[in-house]
Each structure stands twice: as C-alpha cells, then as structure tokens.
Amino acid sequence: MVETESAFKFTPHDHVFLGKDHDKAERRTWAVIALCTVMMIAEIVGGALFGSLALIADGLHMSTHAGALLLAALAYTYARKYADDRSFTFGTGKFGDLAGYSSAIVLAMIALLIGYEAVSRLLNPVAISFNEAIPIAVLGLAVNVVSAWLLSGGHHHGHSHGHGHDHGEEPRRIAFGSRLLEIEVFEENVPPRFRLRAESGLLPDASDVNIETIRPDGSRQLFSFDLWGHYLESRDEIPEPHAFTAMVRLTQAGQQQERELEFEEHDHGDAQGDGHGSHHRDNNMRAAVIHVVADAAVSVLVIAGLLLARTFGWLWMDPLAGLIGALVIANWSVGLLRDTGGILLDRTADPRMAERVRAVIESDGDRVTDLHLWRLGPGHLGAIVSVATTQAREAAHYRQRLAKFGDLSHVTVEVQHALQLS
C-alpha cells in the first residue's frame, strides 16, 4: 500500500509563491522605466534641436536600457495577475527567474557588441568629440545611479555596526497553524536583534514566544521578547556571526509548537547561486539591478578613458575601457544565466536544506527513498518526499515533522510501508 498526502504550508490550496516584496519591486521597476523614458525623450529631442548626434545616440541607448527593464516589470505584473490561476501547477513564482534568464541573454549580447566595437576601435581609432562625449557619459552615470537607488528601495541592507559585508537576510515567514509570523534579524542603525511581526496584525503575547539559537559549535542561546508597538523584539542582542539554526517556539492554547529556521551570513557577490539561502533571492530584481549597475560601471570606465584620452592623447584608452566593461558585463551575465537556468531546470535549490529534510525524516529509523527539492519562487521551496517505514506512520506524521522548515511552502509525502516492500 502506498499513501500519498499533500499540503500547502500557509493557506490550504494556495499556489501563490511570489516573493515577499513582489508588489514593491514591481512599483520600483516601473518607476525606473519612467525615469529612463523621460531621459530618452529628453536626449533625443535635445540632440535633434541642438544638432548633437552623440546625444541622440545616447538617447537610443537609453531606449534599449528601458526595454530591458520593461521585461522585468512585465514579469512582475504577469506573475501577480495570474498568481491565482490554477493552470500554473506550481504558481507563477518562476516568472521572475524566466525574465532574469532572458535579461542575462540580453546582457551577454550587449557585452559582445561592446567588445566587438572596442576591438574595432583599437584596430582603427576614430576621432572623439570630448566636449560632447564626457558630459553625456556623466549624465548616463547619474541616471544609472538614481535608477539603482530606486530599484534598491532607496536604502541599503548592509550592516550598520562596522562590518564590511552584507547580511542579506530578508524577513522569514513561518506558519503556526493559521497564524503567520514574520521573523527577521533587524540591525538598521541599531545592534542586531530578532524582530517578530504577525502578518494578520494580531501579535502573540511576548511571554508565549522564544527563540533558541544553535550554532555550528553546539553553543545555544535563548532569546525572550518584549512588545514594542506593532512588533516583538528580543531583549538580548544577537552576537556575531549570524550563522545559526533558530528554533522558534510559540505557545498556543497551552500547546507549544516549534519551527526551525536557518540563518547564515551572505555575500551578495556570490555568483554561484547554490549557497544556502539563495532560494530567497529575487532574480528578476537582481537582473534589473545588474542592468543599471553594468551600465553605470561602463559609464565610469568610459569617463576615465575619455579623460585620459583627452589629457594625454591616448585614444586607445576609450576602447580599452569599453573592452574591460564588456568583460565585466559578460561575467555578470554568466552568473545570472547559471543561477536562473538552474532554477528553471528545477535544480536542487538548497543542498543543505535537502540534507536537513533527509535527516529529520530518517532520525527515527525510517528511510528516504526519493527526495526532490526545488524552488517555487523567492523564499518558497517545494518538496516531494518518498519514505519507507516499518512503523504504522502516515503521511501526516512526516508533514508535521517537516513543518519546522519555514521555507517549505508545498510538501508532498509518499509513504511506503514494509509489507508492500517485501
């Protein structure tokens, strides 16, 4: 006999696997498109009025920039519009990854075009109108800096206590029955502490919540909470490093429930995309940011090349700067292609999570005969687990054990009993 049972973590029959900040990201992307469109029109009209071919050329370049961002914005809009469409078996959370993959291809093509033009100019130098080219490059840099600022939400997520690395943890959503809680390590201009919010707005009593951290060396620390307006905050600071397992405990109706979350230090420059926690990354926004950052990087290199060329007469500096920019863009596009391609092909999103799922199931002597773990959308993982057991256990038993993993948004369990295996 084989018994199969499915469950959706947050709301029964819910296939909405969009990122937590999906709506905000969508609005920010459209805002940047509006900015690029205004600049594009201004440059083309200004170039036509003042007879500047360079200004018209930069305006046309800005149109390709806006077109690439339009791909990201449409992916956000389409994913949101059809999020409840049941014809998408596992929701629309991967539209952002599909758009990111497409953007990576566009970036690779741009890198090839810039590289080709740079090599051509190295072999056959052309005259440069420095008085027009430099101000336009500076204007392009300014637009890209503003665009990057808008896409990031007008702030950064870096450490504010003197460390030279980014934390990278977004608020984590976990379910205790019908109650949804959000937990984050908050450290913006303050020492790091746990903050807990209720998605429904109804917070539990501070005395009913605690978090115990378990670090790789086995050390443990228990955090109690106090109420601060619309959120709960831990009384004690979280010591560095922020790499630990967090056991989140909530008492409801006299019964204590427990969920498990993983926290690790992240490097946003990791292009591999296979480190723990990468399944929280919004690759659609990442692609949009790479577009503007790549353009800004090229603008900086071009400005430097133009200044050196004008000062010392080194005309080869301009195409050399373009060639370096092409290599940088190509490197970023390869990383984005690798990460988004793996998601679209349902590559295991988090090998460490897969091992933890296996360990939880097998801790009581059962055996995992098949395990599939893939990304459904930013911060959402799907899992299919086949378990062989000699005990009288049903699928609900294993679903309950896996409930401690807050990132598992869709779980299917298949149970194979010993009588049917012999």
Side-chain angles (χ1 to χ4, degrees):
M1 173 182 177
V2 176
E3 179 179 344
T4 304
E5 186 171 340
S6 300
F8 308 114
K9 174 58 63 75
F10 302 125
T11 305
H13 310 297
D14 180 9
H15 287 79
V16 179
F17 302 125
L18 304 181
K20 177 183 178 295
D21 294 324
H22 185 94
D23 292 342
K24 293 180 182 177
E26 181 182 353
R27 290 194 296 270
R28 294 199 298 263
T29 306
W30 282 113
V32 173
I33 290 173
L35 172 64
C36 291
T37 301
V38 169
M39 289 304 303
M40 174 191 72
I41 295 173
E43 287 186 325
I44 293 176
V45 172
L49 291 176
F50 301 113
S52 172
L53 183 61
L55 202 57
I56 293 175
D58 196 64
L60 294 175
H61 165 74
M62 191 65 69
S63 70
T64 64
H65 192 52
L69 291 171
L70 181 62
L71 180 63
L74 290 176
Y76 279 125
T77 301
Y78 195 90
R80 172 180 52 79
K81 183 177 179 180
Y82 294 95
D84 295 311
D85 189 337
R86 301 290 290 183
S87 65
F88 293 99
T89 305
F90 288 107
T92 58
K94 285 187 180 180
F95 271 104
D97 301 299
L98 180 60
Y101 185 84
S102 303
S103 291
I105 294 176
V106 173
L107 278 170
M109 295 174 63
I110 291 173
L112 287 174
L113 289 172
I114 294 175
Y116 174 80
E117 183 66 20
V119 172
S120 298
R121 292 198 176 199
L122 279 172
L123 297 176
N124 301 290
V126 298
I128 302 173
S129 300
F130 295 106
N131 292 335
E132 280 189 331
I134 292 176
I136 290 173
V138 172
L139 178 62
L141 175 60
V143 171
N144 284 304
V145 169
V146 173
S147 297
W149 181 79
L150 288 172
L151 289 174
S152 66
H155 63 277
H156 64 83
H157 298 284
H159 278 283
S160 57
H161 46 278
H163 294 279
H165 56 280
D166 294 330
H167 190 272
E169 282 288 354
E170 295 294 333
R172 311 285 288 277
R173 186 169 63 168
I174 58 175
F176 288 92
S178 60
R179 173 171 283 179
L180 299 178
L181 302 180
E182 287 186 352
I183 296 175
E184 67 175 321
V185 175
F186 186 84
E187 49 187 335
E188 188 171 335
N189 301 318
V190 295
R193 284 182 167 86
F194 286 112
R195 279 194 180 180
L196 185 150
R197 294 178 173 83
E199 193 164 284
S200 63
L202 182 62
L203 281 169
D205 292 336
S207 59
D208 291 337
V209 179
N210 68 73
I211 294 179
E212 184 177 19
T213 59
I214 307 172
R215 297 183 178 271
D217 62 2
S219 60
R220 295 171 177 255
Q221 183 177 0
L222 189 65
F223 293 83
S224 300
F225 286 79
D226 290 320
L227 176 64
W228 291 84
H230 59 283
Y231 61 85
L232 300 178
E233 184 173 275
S234 61
R235 296 171 185 169
D236 299 323
E237 298 177 16
I238 306 172
E240 293 280 359
H242 296 167
F244 45 74
T245 299
M247 308 303 297
V248 185
R249 302 186 180 101
L250 173 65
T251 300
Q252 297 186 109
Q255 298 292 322
Q256 187 180 79
Q257 301 179 58
E258 183 178 85
R259 301 289 184 268
E260 179 178 313
L261 292 174
E262 287 289 326
F263 289 89
E264 286 198 5
E265 299 287 357
H266 292 288
D267 180 1
H268 283 247
D270 178 16
Q272 299 302 319
D274 54 5
H276 179 76
S278 63
H279 57 267
H280 287 268
R281 179 183 294 155
D282 183 345
N283 284 314
N284 194 24
M285 178 57 67
R286 178 187 171 196
V289 171
I290 286 178
H291 268 286
V292 297
V293 171
D295 214 26
V298 171
S299 295
V300 170
L301 290 168
V302 167
I303 292 169
L306 289 171
L307 290 173
L308 289 171
R310 185 178 68 175
T311 304
F312 300 104
W314 299 341
L315 294 181
W316 51 268
M317 278 301 302
D318 179 58
L320 179 61
L323 184 59
I324 294 173
L327 292 174
V328 171
I329 295 174
N331 180 61
W332 286 341
S333 75
V334 168
L336 188 57
L337 278 170
R338 179 174 52 239
D339 295 348
T340 53
I343 292 170
L344 295 175
L345 292 172
D346 290 331
R347 181 183 181 187
T348 299
D350 188 342
R352 289 189 57 185
M353 174 66 82
E355 290 304 313
R356 294 185 68 83
V357 168
R358 184 182 298 273
V360 165
I361 297 296
E362 295 183 342
S363 61
D364 286 342
D366 297 325
R367 183 166 57 91
V368 174
T369 58
D370 196 18
L371 173 60
H372 300 275
L373 187 72
W374 72 100
R375 172 171 146 143
L376 302 167
H380 298 280
L381 294 176
I384 297 176
V385 188
S386 294
V387 185
T389 180
T390 58
Q391 306 296 320
R393 293 168 177 165
E394 308 301 340
H397 168 80
Y398 302 102
R399 285 174 41 219
Q400 185 177 12
R401 293 186 65 99
L402 294 176
K404 65 170 64 178
F405 298 113
D407 294 341
L408 293 182
S409 302
H410 187 289
V411 179
T412 300
V413 179
E414 178 185 68
V415 181
Q416 300 172 309
H417 292 97
L419 290 179
Q420 283 68 45
L421 296 177
S422 57

